[in-house]
Amino acid sequence: MKVFVIDVARCNGCYTCQIVCKDEHVDNDWAPIARPQPETGHFWMKMKEKTVGSVPKVQVQYTPTPCMHCDDAPCIKAGNGSVYKRTDGLVVIDPEKAQGDRTLVDSCPYGAIYWNDKLGLAQKCTGCAHLIDEGKPPRCAEACATDALKFGEEEDFKDLIAKAEVMLPESGTKPRVYYVNLPKKFVAGEVWDPKQDICIEDAAVTLIDKQTNKALTARTDDFGDFWFKGLIGENYSLKIEKEGYYPFEMADIKAGDSINVGDIALKSK
Ligand code: SF4
Ligand code: SF4
């Protein structure tokens, strides 16, 4: 059975996978696997780009997202025979049987299905099943220069899959697209002395997850910066201590997403 394994840490956001998907499918008729993709509005391989934090502590996160080729696919249930799973694991919308059925678009919890007005057809990533049948890889995986996007036999990727995550695990759809190194949140900031107008190096920074009471510690670098990465909590408190200065506390940090708490001025004693 085939899988996609996507290492987000290796993805540089070049968009090649999204572009070659269009090159393969726009104006090309691969029936009975897929009819032509329209020139605009469809992203069968969609690059999701998200900017988190604030200047100067910013990260741009790239997540390539095709159809998840779920083993327990809501689109197959909704299709009443018009959407099927192949023996290699890929999920395909039959262009003839699905003709005119717009309800398929809403059946996918990942938003992976698009409506083609001209053809009156719900369409999505097929995993380039027409190429797989010729012994070739999907265009996106073949084109990825950083090896971030891999496609192949599940067995060959078992080590990567063991440490991978899937999107929306709570939906119970059993995706066949696995993600490694999905971005987590960060809390970052900078500590300085306004009296001397200098960055404060080597200050002790303690971040406490208010839900679990777990404390993480860091020290400010040469520029007074601190970063806590790989976070999953929502609410934190922060304490900064440095000899010769009054301690500073931030009692309530809402980290619904990554956050730069900004420049923190310490008062000297
Ligand atoms: Fe990322 Fe590879 Fe897609 Fe480029 S081709 S955006 S590196 S997954
Ligand atoms: Fe169906 Fe959506 Fe799962 Fe793809 S991601 S198999 S379209 S439910």
Side-chain angles (χ1 to χ4, degrees), residues 108-129:
C108 173
Y110 300 92
I113 304 181
Y114 298 82
W115 182 249
N116 184 327
D117 252 334
K118 192 172 151 205
L119 298 177
L121 188 61
Q123 295 181 291
K124 69 168 193 70
C125 158
T126 65
C128 285

Side-chain angles (χ1 to χ4, degrees), residues 66-76 83 85 90-93 104 107-113 124-125 173-175:
C67 160
M68 300 290 145
H69 296 282
C70 312
D71 280 348
D72 197 355
C75 61
I76 294 181
V83 187
K85 179 162 274 280
L90 295 173
V91 173
V92 172
I93 297 174
L104 288 176
S107 70
C108 173
Y110 300 92
I113 304 181
K124 69 168 193 70
C125 158
T173 58
K174 300 185 187 151

Side-chain angles (χ1 to χ4, degrees), residues 6-7 10-18 45 47 62 64 140 143-149:
I6 300 173
D7 185 344
R10 297 181 77 102
C11 173
N12 62 15
C14 70
Y15 279 77
T16 302
C17 47
Q18 186 172 297
M45 166 55 82
M47 171 55 67
Y62 301 102
C140 56
C144 179
T146 66
D147 209 21
L149 211 167

